[in-house]
Amino acid sequence: MSEQPYVIEMRHISKAFGSLQANDDITLQLRRGEIHALLGENGAGKSTLMSILFGLYDPDSGEILKDGKPVQIKDPNDATALGIGMVHQHFKLVECFTVLENIILGAEDTTLGFLQKKKARERVKALSEKYGLFVDPDALISDITVGMQQRTEILKMLYRDNEVLILDEPTAVLTPQEIDELMKIMKNLTAEGKSILFITHKLNEIMEVADRCSVLRKGKYIGTVDVKDVTKEQLSEMMVGRPVQLQVDKKPAEPGEPFLEVKDLCVRSISHRDKLAVKHVTFTVHAGEITCIAGIDGNGQTELGLAVTGLSKVESGHIYMKGRNITKDSVRKRAEDGMSHIPEDRHKHGLILDFTLKENMMLRRYLEPEFQNHGFIRFDEAEKYAQELVDEFDVRSADGVNSTARSMSGGNQQKAIAARELKHKHDLLVAIQPTRGLDVGAIEFIHSEIVKKRDAGAAVLLISLELDEVMSLSDRILVMYEGEIVGEFDPKKTTVQELGLYMVGARRDTKKGGKA
Amino acid sequence: MKDFFSKLREKPGFKSVTSSILCIIAGILVGFLVMILLSFFNDRTSIGNAFQGLLVLLGGPFSSGRGAYIVTNLGDMIFYATPLIMTGVSVAIAYKTGLFNIGAAGQFLMGMMGSLLVALNINTNGNPTLGVLVWILAVIVGAICGMLWGAIPGFFRAVFNVNEVIVCIMTNWIAANIVSWVFGTMPHLINSGSGKSGYLITTAVTGNGTPTLGLTRIFKGSYIDAGIIVAILIAIIIHIILAKTTLGYELRACGANRDGAKYAGMNEKRNIILSMAIAGGLAAIGGALYYLNPGIEFKFDSAYGSLPDYGFNGIPAALLGSNNPIAVIFVSLFIRFLNVGGGNLPSAGFNKYIADVIIALIIYFAGFSKFFKDMLSKRKKKAEAKANEAEKAASAQAAEQVVEQTPALDNTEKEGDKS
């Protein structure tokens, strides 16, 4: 075994948070120049393991070896000194700094104490061109989309010439084209001798890019396999512990009355207030139908979602629900009229991170008589309700319903939001990236719940960047490009390739989406 | 006993309380060091004076020597804590909504103005029942003035996103000037007797003073009145509102995540204004309760030049109390306790202003409460890790005897679903 040149070896790592054993005797070996996927369900302990390697947590026991020598990684500075870089699942960016400032933060080039931004800018430019990670170096982080923030994070690591790269679900927010690009970058990087630890739920990506794959389940080490020797089904079974349905199982839709009608809608862009992000969009969602808006991140889907759910104002146009004009209705009015909403950004909108899970589960229902009595919150009812949701959706956390949302892993946070919104009685579900950051087991469950809602007669507006999800879940696909609807498709009669052409603007149906 | 402590440790409030107490101890220790240093610089004092000073300071009202003074000092301590409780709770409720109410001083003044305009303009001398009614009216009018005053920074924050700190500072000075001007136009309210100038008459003249409910019979010769009961009741009510009601839930949600609150269908603009209005009303009641005491005079002619320190002292009172209204009651009483003790420091050979220095030190250390809190969390984690390791060592020994459990490294371990 000693002749095997492992660049990183983690031996018998254990780590507990309170009563939750996040890592239990885990061993992970990363060969030089390989892409090693780390696969596991939400809360399986992948992020914890990587945080230990990056020096964010101290392991309770176990040792880490770099190039065969035991090392102590006490904080991220140690990790950086050893050439280990990490892109976190939740970005660590300074919101009020520009992209460039974020990239050089902590690795600034200075002369006599003055920042050498010009040099840095050129390097960043060269890197972003080389890898096709285009970002505006002078845009503020708070102004750019989640997708672009991700790109900034990846650039940040590339800028530091790290040797071992940890990518914590890097593709969760990228478009199919961007993912292809990233895959290419990853292969290039390993060709140059860098080693990549790649945390993901997406089996397709593992099959495509990884050399080996280690699987964790509920904090325990299950095994390491050569990717070329296994199938997707085998991998998912290793991960979940049972066979998993990878395709959504659903009956053909029986569309009913038009439920949500969007007419000639225009919405301003979040990052550039003087521009329109949604341009004269018209579409209808029928009861008993899952209508999906597909497209590359940043083509107006975010703004469309915010406008439909009432979180932002519309510039012009109208939104009708059950034939009633709701364009100017408040968020609460829309919710009371039967709109559920799984938001795109779970930290910004979906959760009050400093509240407990119990308090978060009643976030949109606290005024209902079930949860309050003359203005006094019925905490016992809230706890009972939260416990029900937690049990049904298998939301895992250290202290159950009394854990703060902040302490939970991203996947479990997402599950909590999905549980809350799916259990809320509704006729219209607006689901934006509903399975972002979830593992196949949880995706299967959430998808089947959404289909159940549809079969019960609810209208579903799905906004997703994941083409797999778009193809398997929706009954009707609308492709959005630069703020306009450029095509309508039946998922059974189209292909990913065809959708891709519309998504990048290479083709469009002139009759749809207003001006062409 | 050990069980009791470990259970206590589990309580969420434990860390807050302990860290506040650690802040206080650290502040007192540094104050003690200051006294030791000072005792060397003075020919008449030695290190023994520093110990004596510490005892005097910690003795509070009880260190005044003669027994008869003790009850008076206690009564005054409670009376002077009353406005502090109100401004402390005012800062705390705004903080829970994510706002920094540095405008408590101005709100305090507006409350004083509203209440005195009522209480000094209506003469009920000789009719105690009517006096109480006018007193209640005065407190309410004062509270309304403060609510409106507090709503101003709230409004600017909610609608125009102007930082509330800036608007609060401006409204503070505007309030100070308004107060001087308003009473300057009312010569009939000016106390022309006793050789003083620039003072208003007190509620002792008009008979609308805060009822004492017999408290002065216990605390003879002190200023104490029913204001403290009002303040404690209000603090408890605010605590219940924050912790148990939908309104408190909304205010806390807005404070923790404004976008999240919006997503939940809350009107976050309304909540910001409401929170600042409530905060303003609370600080104003503090001003009303203070100046409605028949023994307290207001010097109006210089009011424009300075802001009442009660307004600002509410900030450390809230901080030391971790923004918990109930804790603010105790913290306010404690700060006053030290003040009284500090007043007796000359008996130990120190200048009495040293007491202010030491109180200021404690208040500075209030800023360390998060530091102490983190320290406590780390200690807890370490203890847990130790326990875990011990447990693991024990279980590992047991496991070794049963079967060797090395994970197969480079190939799949077949494992049935155990869960």
Side-chain angles (χ1 to χ4, degrees):
Chain A
M1 206 157 86
S2 56
E3 62 266 23
Q4 190 58 258
Y6 293 122
V7 57
I8 290 283
E9 238 184 308
M10 298 179 81
R11 286 187 183 163
H12 305 295
I13 301 286
S14 291
K15 173 78 186 166
F17 296 105
S19 57
L20 188 82
Q21 189 73 36
N23 283 170
D24 188 3
D25 194 18
I26 291 177
T27 294
L28 180 77
Q29 292 157 318
L30 177 67
R31 289 180 188 147
R32 189 174 297 285
E34 76 167 344
I35 298 179
H36 192 118
L38 190 56
L39 180 66
E41 285 185 290
N42 303 122
K46 308 174 303 273
S47 291
T48 306
L49 187 67
M50 289 304 102
S51 297
I52 288 171
L53 180 57
F54 193 57
L56 292 171
Y57 295 137
D58 262 345
D60 296 338
S61 62
E63 59 174 351
I64 301 172
L65 284 79
K66 171 95 201 300
D67 300 322
K69 286 185 213 87
V71 288
Q72 290 285 326
I73 303 177
K74 286 222 161 58
D75 56 43
N77 290 335
D78 291 349
T80 309
L82 291 166
I84 301 170
M86 178 163 183
V87 174
H88 297 267
Q89 192 178 348
H90 298 134
F91 315 140
K92 314 275 178 193
L93 295 168
V94 183
E95 293 258 316
C96 57
F97 273 21
T98 64
V99 169
L100 180 70
E101 284 166 338
N102 267 288
I103 291 171
I104 62 176
L105 188 66
E108 306 92 343
D109 249 340
T110 54
T111 304
L112 297 171
F114 288 96
L115 274 180
Q116 296 300 303
K117 273 202 198 172
K118 213 168 166 186
K119 233 163 76 190
R121 183 193 303 275
E122 273 158 24
R123 249 194 91 198
V124 169
K125 240 181 172 172
L127 281 172
S128 69
E129 263 163 36
K130 185 171 167 197
Y131 298 116
L133 289 158
F134 291 106
V135 280
D136 174 4
D138 298 313
L140 289 180
I141 295 296
S142 52
D143 289 344
I144 62 179
T145 61
V146 178
M148 291 208 246
Q149 292 178 4
Q150 173 81 70
R151 276 174 244 169
T152 307
E153 278 283 15
I154 295 173
L155 272 172
K156 208 165 131 185
M157 208 171 50
L158 296 174
Y159 186 82
R160 283 162 178 71
D161 298 321
N162 284 319
E163 184 190 5
V164 177
L165 311 178
I166 307 168
L167 303 176
D168 192 353
E169 293 180 35
T171 59
V173 290
L174 300 184
T175 62
Q177 281 79 4
E178 285 171 324
I179 291 172
D180 288 345
E181 290 285 321
L182 181 68
M183 300 283 150
K184 261 182 241 155
I185 298 166
M186 287 167 68
K187 282 177 185 160
N188 287 343
L189 287 169
T190 48
E192 286 171 31
K194 304 208 174 191
S195 317
I196 296 178
L197 265 166
F198 176 43
I199 307 180
T200 185
H201 304 300
K202 295 182 190 165
L203 301 168
N204 285 339
E205 288 164 12
I206 295 180
M207 300 311 287
E208 189 186 330
V209 78
D211 300 307
R212 293 194 305 153
C213 176
S214 290
V215 183
L216 305 184
R217 190 199 310 154
K218 291 183 180 166
K220 290 201 167 59
Y221 174 79
I222 302 301
T224 301
V225 289
D226 276 333
V227 171
K228 59 180 189 298
D229 299 338
V230 289
T231 64
K232 263 202 274 187
E233 282 70 21
Q234 281 170 315
L235 275 180
S236 62
E237 196 174 336
M238 276 176 78
M239 169 168 90
V240 184
R242 63 178 167 81
V244 179
Q245 192 86 32
L246 291 176
Q247 271 292 321
V248 180
D249 186 23
K250 63 177 169 78
K251 297 181 295 201
E254 293 164 13
E257 297 286 299
F259 200 93
L260 175 80
E261 290 167 272
V262 172
K263 287 188 180 156
D264 203 26
L265 187 75
C266 292
V267 189
R268 279 184 187 277
S269 155
I270 301 171
S271 50
H272 302 283
R273 300 301 303 177
D274 52 331
K275 284 192 192 138
L276 287 179
V278 178
K279 299 167 193 161
H280 305 283
V281 162
T282 300
F283 65 89
T284 306
V285 182
H286 299 89
E289 179 192 55
I290 300 173
T291 304
C292 175
I293 309 276
I296 296 170
D297 190 20
N299 275 286
Q301 305 98 312
T302 302
E303 284 86 351
L304 179 65
L306 292 176
V308 168
T309 54
L311 283 170
S312 74
K313 284 188 192 139
V314 306
E315 187 65 16
S316 64
H318 301 281
I319 303 165
Y320 298 87
M321 194 158 94
K322 299 183 220 172
R324 209 170 53 74
N325 189 342
I326 60 158
T327 316
K328 290 208 156 62
D329 282 1
S330 67
V331 176
R332 175 163 295 151
K333 181 89 178 66
R334 291 178 209 219
E336 281 166 0
D337 287 353
M339 184 191 284
S340 262
H341 173 202
I342 300 177
E344 179 179 12
D345 190 331
R346 57 179 165 240
H347 287 174
K348 190 172 176 195
H349 290 119
L351 293 166
I352 311 280
L353 287 176
D354 290 318
F355 275 19
T356 59
L357 191 52
K358 175 172 75 184
E359 286 176 307
N360 268 300
M361 284 304 201
M362 60 168 184
L363 189 60
R364 274 154 72 84
R365 303 188 57 186
Y366 66 98
L367 284 176
E368 290 175 19
E370 192 186 339
F371 298 110
Q372 60 115 353
N373 184 9
H374 299 292
F376 284 87
I377 288 174
R378 300 168 67 179
F379 279 107
D380 46 340
E381 291 297 322
E383 181 154 348
K384 241 178 23 205
Y385 179 69
Q387 194 59 52
E388 266 173 46
L389 297 195
V390 164
D391 292 343
E392 190 175 339
F393 282 75
D394 188 27
V395 181
R396 291 176 206 164
S397 55
D399 302 314
V401 295
N402 289 317
S403 342
T404 52
R406 192 182 291 286
S407 68
M408 293 160 54
S409 73
N412 280 300
Q413 291 174 346
Q414 186 68 27
K415 276 201 249 177
I417 296 170
R420 183 180 71 211
E421 295 308 311
L422 284 165
K423 284 316 260 190
H424 192 178
K425 204 172 154 294
H426 59 267
D427 312 309
L428 171 68
L429 171 68
V430 179
I432 306 171
Q433 297 270 74
T435 55
R436 181 181 168 196
L438 294 183
D439 58 73
V440 284
I443 290 175
E444 178 197 30
F445 180 69
I446 302 243
H447 281 176
S448 74
E449 286 291 314
I450 292 176
V451 170
K452 250 189 243 165
K453 290 285 167 192
R454 179 204 73 168
D455 291 345
V460 179
L461 174 64
L462 173 74
I463 298 181
S464 179
L465 304 174
E466 317 263 350
L467 274 182
D468 282 347
E469 181 167 87
V470 171
M471 290 299 280
S472 68
L473 189 58
S474 51
D475 300 315
R476 200 153 60 91
I477 301 171
L478 302 169
V479 174
M480 206 164 169
Y481 172 70
E482 291 199 335
E484 294 172 56
I485 304 277
V486 293
E488 180 176 337
F489 305 90
D490 180 343
K492 286 187 207 69
K493 292 179 191 148
T494 186
T495 59
V496 176
Q497 285 70 26
E498 190 187 6
L499 285 181
L501 286 174
Y502 281 82
M503 283 163 69
V504 296
R507 223 197 271 169
R508 68 196 300 160
D509 297 341
T510 44
K511 58 182 188 293
K512 298 279 172 199
K515 297 176 294 178
Chain B
M1 199 65 192
K2 218 176 172 185
D3 270 8
F4 172 75
F5 276 118
S6 54
K7 248 186 213 156
L8 195 69
R9 249 170 208 247
E10 294 300 311
K11 292 222 170 187
F14 174 78
K15 255 192 280 175
S16 305
V17 173
T18 321
S19 64
S20 291
I21 291 173
L22 285 175
C23 287
I24 290 166
I25 292 174
I28 290 175
L29 282 180
V30 177
F32 180 48
L33 279 178
V34 171
M35 282 194 280
I36 291 177
L37 278 176
L38 285 175
S39 67
F40 288 127
F41 287 116
N42 194 325
D43 295 340
R44 285 174 291 121
T45 53
S46 67
I47 195 159
N49 290 66
F51 282 100
Q52 202 188 337
L54 186 67
L55 284 178
V56 167
L57 190 67
L58 295 181
F62 301 100
S63 59
S64 46
R66 298 233 315 269
Y69 288 150
I70 291 177
V71 284
T72 311
N73 281 340
L74 269 176
D76 283 346
M77 174 188 114
I78 294 168
F79 170 71
Y80 287 115
T82 306
L84 194 56
I85 293 172
M86 296 311 301
T87 52
V89 174
S90 163
V91 174
I93 191 170
Y95 192 85
K96 290 265 187 191
T97 319
L99 299 163
F100 187 37
N101 180 21
I102 202 171
Q107 296 146 9
F108 183 89
L109 283 173
M110 292 312 268
M112 179 277 298
M113 185 183 85
S115 60
L116 286 191
L117 282 178
V118 173
L120 300 184
N121 276 312
I122 305 174
N123 196 325
T124 61
N125 226 340
N127 188 341
T129 323
L130 203 58
V132 171
L133 289 177
V134 172
W135 176 80
I136 293 172
L137 181 70
V139 174
I140 291 172
V141 170
I144 290 170
C145 287
M147 285 182 85
L148 293 174
W149 205 245
I152 295 171
F155 172 80
F156 278 97
R157 177 68 203 239
V159 179
F160 301 112
N161 204 19
V162 180
N163 194 318
E164 72 277 6
V165 172
I166 295 168
V167 184
C168 276
I169 291 172
M170 290 199 294
T171 52
N172 276 346
W173 289 107
I174 294 170
N177 281 282
I178 286 179
V179 167
S180 278
W181 168 68
V182 165
F183 288 112
T185 63
M186 298 184 179
H188 63 286
L189 296 184
I190 294 169
N191 184 358
S192 46
S194 68
K196 286 180 174 175
S197 79
Y199 281 92
L200 294 183
I201 54 172
T202 67
T203 51
V205 178
T206 56
N208 302 321
T210 313
T212 57
L213 298 181
L215 287 167
T216 40
R217 250 177 276 154
I218 307 169
F219 302 102
K220 280 195 186 69
S222 76
Y223 287 115
I224 194 166
D225 60 26
I228 183 68
I229 296 166
V230 176
I232 290 175
L233 280 180
I234 289 176
I236 293 171
I237 290 169
I238 294 296
H239 175 71
I240 291 170
I241 288 177
L242 278 176
K244 306 277 182 205
T245 67
T246 48
L247 173 66
Y249 181 77
E250 285 198 12
L251 293 181
R252 285 185 293 126
C254 284
N257 180 354
R258 210 155 284 176
D259 290 307
K262 208 170 150 191
Y263 160 82
M266 298 168 187
N267 185 339
E268 91 282 14
K269 290 189 170 137
R270 188 203 69 151
N271 281 332
I272 288 170
I273 299 174
L274 191 61
S275 168
M276 280 306 287
I278 294 173
L282 292 169
I285 293 175
L289 291 178
Y290 184 64
Y291 284 103
L292 284 174
N293 185 290
I296 302 295
E297 293 178 297
F298 180 62
K299 189 164 168 54
F300 74 95
D301 67 346
S302 58
Y304 64 88
S306 64
L307 293 170
D309 52 5
Y310 279 111
F312 298 112
N313 286 341
I315 296 167
L319 255 181
L320 261 179
S322 304
N323 296 303
N324 178 317
I326 305 290
V328 168
I329 299 174
F330 294 103
V331 169
S332 303
L333 283 168
F334 177 73
I335 290 178
R336 286 301 156 200
F337 179 92
L338 288 181
N339 267 335
V340 178
N344 295 323
L345 268 186
S347 69
F350 292 100
N351 189 309
K352 74 174 180 159
Y353 296 108
I354 292 302
D356 287 340
V357 172
I358 291 165
I359 289 160
L361 280 170
I362 292 171
I363 287 166
Y364 278 132
F365 275 89
F368 282 69
S369 68
K370 193 175 171 336
F371 168 80
F372 285 120
K373 233 180 191 172
D374 290 348
M375 198 179 78
L376 287 171
S377 313
K378 261 188 204 149
R379 268 177 64 103
K380 199 179 153 201
K381 263 188 209 157
K382 258 188 200 160
E384 259 171 26
K386 250 187 199 167
N388 272 340
E389 247 159 56
E391 215 170 86
K392 221 169 284 155
S395 61
Q397 264 182 354
E400 249 168 46
Q401 287 166 358
V402 184
V403 67
E404 215 181 35
Q405 273 197 326
T406 333
L409 292 184
D410 262 29
N411 56 55
T412 321
E413 185 191 75
K414 293 274 182 236
E415 191 186 287
D417 194 4
K418 284 171 195 157
S419 55

Coordinates of all heavy atoms in Angstrom, one line a residue, chain B residues 37-71:
Chain B
L37 N -3.7 50.6 41.6 CA -2.7 51.5 41.0 C -2.8 52.9 41.6 O -1.8 53.5 42.0 CB -3.0 51.6 39.5 CG -2.4 50.5 38.6 CD1 -2.8 50.7 37.2 CD2 -0.9 50.5 38.7
L38 N -4.1 53.3 41.7 CA -4.3 54.7 42.3 C -3.8 54.8 43.7 O -3.3 55.8 44.2 CB -5.8 55.0 42.2 CG -6.3 55.4 40.8 CD1 -7.8 55.6 40.9 CD2 -5.6 56.7 40.3
S39 N -4.0 53.7 44.5 CA -3.6 53.7 45.9 C -2.1 53.9 46.0 O -1.6 54.5 47.0 CB -4.0 52.4 46.6 OG -3.3 51.3 46.1
F40 N -1.3 53.5 45.0 CA 0.2 53.7 45.1 C 0.5 55.2 44.8 O 1.5 55.7 45.2 CB 0.9 52.9 44.0 CG 0.9 51.4 44.5 CD1 0.5 50.4 43.6 CD2 1.3 51.1 45.7 CE1 0.5 49.1 44.0 CE2 1.3 49.7 46.1 CZ 0.9 48.8 45.2
F41 N -0.3 55.8 44.0 CA 0.0 57.2 43.6 C -0.3 58.3 44.6 O 0.0 59.4 44.5 CB -0.7 57.5 42.2 CG 0.0 56.8 41.1 CD1 -0.7 55.9 40.3 CD2 1.3 57.1 40.7 CE1 -0.2 55.2 39.3 CE2 1.9 56.4 39.7 CZ 1.2 55.5 39.0
N42 N -1.1 57.8 45.6 CA -1.5 58.8 46.6 C -0.8 58.5 47.9 O -0.8 57.4 48.4 CB -3.0 58.7 46.8 CG -3.6 59.8 47.5 OD1 -3.0 60.4 48.4 ND2 -4.8 60.2 47.1
D43 N -0.3 59.5 48.5 CA 0.5 59.3 49.8 C -0.4 58.8 50.9 O 0.1 58.1 51.8 CB 1.1 60.7 50.2 CG 2.2 61.1 49.2 OD1 2.6 60.2 48.5 OD2 2.5 62.3 49.2
R44 N -1.7 59.2 50.9 CA -2.5 58.9 52.0 C -3.1 57.5 51.9 O -3.8 57.0 52.8 CB -3.6 60.0 52.1 CG -3.1 61.3 52.7 CD -4.2 62.3 52.7 NE -4.5 62.7 51.3 CZ -5.7 62.6 50.7 NH1 -6.7 62.1 51.4 NH2 -5.9 63.0 49.5
T45 N -3.0 56.9 50.7 CA -3.6 55.6 50.6 C -2.6 54.5 50.3 O -1.5 54.8 49.9 CB -4.6 55.6 49.4 OG1 -3.9 56.0 48.3 CG2 -5.8 56.5 49.6
S46 N -3.0 53.3 50.7 CA -2.1 52.1 50.4 C -2.9 51.0 49.8 O -4.1 51.2 49.6 CB -1.5 51.6 51.7 OG -2.5 51.1 52.5
I47 N -2.3 49.9 49.5 CA -3.0 48.8 48.9 C -4.3 48.4 49.7 O -5.3 47.9 49.2 CB -2.1 47.6 48.6 CG1 -2.8 46.7 47.6 CG2 -1.7 46.9 49.9 CD1 -1.8 45.8 46.9
G48 N -4.2 48.6 51.0 CA -5.3 48.2 51.9 C -6.5 49.0 51.5 O -7.7 48.5 51.6
N49 N -6.3 50.3 51.1 CA -7.5 51.1 50.7 C -8.2 50.5 49.5 O -9.4 50.6 49.3 CB -7.0 52.5 50.3 CG -6.6 53.3 51.6 OD1 -5.6 52.9 52.2 ND2 -7.3 54.3 52.0
A50 N -7.4 49.9 48.6 CA -8.0 49.3 47.4 C -9.0 48.2 47.8 O -10.1 48.1 47.3 CB -6.9 48.7 46.5
F51 N -8.5 47.3 48.8 CA -9.4 46.3 49.2 C -10.7 46.9 49.9 O -11.8 46.4 49.7 CB -8.7 45.4 50.2 CG -7.8 44.4 49.5 CD1 -6.4 44.6 49.4 CD2 -8.3 43.2 48.9 CE1 -5.6 43.7 48.8 CE2 -7.5 42.4 48.3 CZ -6.2 42.6 48.2
Q52 N -10.4 47.9 50.7 CA -11.5 48.6 51.3 C -12.5 49.2 50.3 O -13.7 49.0 50.4 CB -11.0 49.7 52.2 CG -11.9 50.1 53.3 CD -11.4 51.4 54.1 OE1 -10.2 51.6 54.0 NE2 -12.3 52.1 54.7
G53 N -11.9 49.8 49.3 CA -12.7 50.3 48.2 C -13.6 49.3 47.5 O -14.7 49.5 47.2
L54 N -13.0 48.1 47.3 CA -13.7 47.0 46.6 C -14.9 46.6 47.5 O -16.0 46.4 46.9 CB -12.8 45.8 46.4 CG -13.3 44.6 45.6 CD1 -13.6 45.1 44.2 CD2 -12.4 43.5 45.7
L55 N -14.7 46.5 48.8 CA -15.8 46.2 49.7 C -16.9 47.2 49.7 O -18.0 46.9 49.6 CB -15.2 46.0 51.1 CG -14.5 44.7 51.4 CD1 -13.9 44.7 52.8 CD2 -15.4 43.5 51.1
V56 N -16.5 48.5 49.7 CA -17.4 49.6 49.7 C -18.3 49.5 48.4 O -19.5 49.6 48.4 CB -16.7 50.9 49.8 CG1 -17.7 52.1 49.5 CG2 -16.2 51.1 51.2
L57 N -17.6 49.3 47.3 CA -18.2 49.2 46.0 C -19.2 48.1 45.9 O -20.4 48.2 45.5 CB -17.2 49.1 44.9 CG -17.7 49.3 43.5 CD1 -18.1 50.7 43.2 CD2 -16.6 48.9 42.5
L58 N -18.8 46.9 46.4 CA -19.6 45.7 46.3 C -20.7 45.8 47.4 O -21.7 45.1 47.3 CB -18.8 44.4 46.5 CG -17.8 44.2 45.3 CD1 -17.0 42.9 45.5 CD2 -18.6 44.1 44.0
G59 N -20.5 46.6 48.4 CA -21.5 46.7 49.4 C -22.7 47.5 49.0 O -23.8 47.4 49.5
G60 N -22.5 48.3 47.9 CA -23.6 49.1 47.4 C -24.2 50.0 48.5 O -23.6 50.6 49.2
P61 N -25.6 49.9 48.5 CA -26.3 50.7 49.5 C -26.0 50.3 50.9 O -26.2 51.1 51.8 CB -27.8 50.5 49.2 CG -27.8 49.7 47.9 CD -26.5 49.1 47.7
F62 N -25.4 49.1 51.1 CA -25.2 48.6 52.5 C -23.9 49.2 53.1 O -23.6 48.9 54.2 CB -25.2 47.1 52.5 CG -26.5 46.5 52.0 CD1 -26.6 46.1 50.7 CD2 -27.7 46.5 52.8 CE1 -27.8 45.6 50.2 CE2 -28.8 46.0 52.3 CZ -28.9 45.6 51.1
S63 N -23.1 49.9 52.3 CA -21.8 50.3 52.7 C -21.8 51.7 53.2 O -20.8 52.4 53.3 CB -20.8 50.1 51.6 OG -21.2 50.8 50.5
S64 N -23.0 52.2 53.5 CA -23.1 53.7 53.8 C -22.9 53.9 55.3 O -23.1 55.0 55.7 CB -24.4 54.2 53.3 OG -25.4 53.4 53.7
G65 N -22.5 52.9 56.1 CA -22.2 53.2 57.5 C -23.4 53.1 58.4 O -23.7 52.1 58.9
R66 N -24.2 54.2 58.4 CA -25.3 54.3 59.4 C -26.5 53.5 58.9 O -26.9 53.7 57.7 CB -25.7 55.7 59.6 CG -24.5 56.6 60.3 CD -25.0 57.3 61.5 NE -26.3 57.9 61.4 CZ -26.5 59.2 61.0 NH1 -25.4 59.9 60.7 NH2 -27.7 59.7 60.9
G67 N -27.1 52.7 59.7 CA -28.2 51.9 59.3 C -29.4 52.7 58.7 O -30.0 52.2 57.8
A68 N -29.6 53.9 59.2 CA -30.8 54.6 58.7 C -30.6 55.0 57.3 O -31.6 55.1 56.5 CB -31.0 55.9 59.6
Y69 N -29.4 55.2 56.8 CA -29.1 55.5 55.4 C -29.4 54.4 54.5 O -29.7 54.6 53.3 CB -27.7 56.0 55.2 CG -27.4 57.3 55.9 CD1 -26.1 57.7 56.3 CD2 -28.4 58.3 55.9 CE1 -25.9 58.9 56.9 CE2 -28.1 59.6 56.5 CZ -26.9 59.8 57.0 OH -26.6 61.1 57.5
I70 N -29.3 53.2 55.0 CA -29.3 52.0 54.1 C -30.6 51.9 53.4 O -30.7 51.8 52.2 CB -29.1 50.7 54.9 CG1 -27.6 50.7 55.3 CG2 -29.4 49.5 54.0 CD1 -27.2 49.5 56.2
V71 N -31.8 52.1 54.1 CA -33.1 52.0 53.4 C -33.2 53.2 52.4 O -33.8 53.0 51.3 CB -34.2 52.0 54.4 CG1 -34.3 50.6 55.0 CG2 -34.1 53.1 55.4

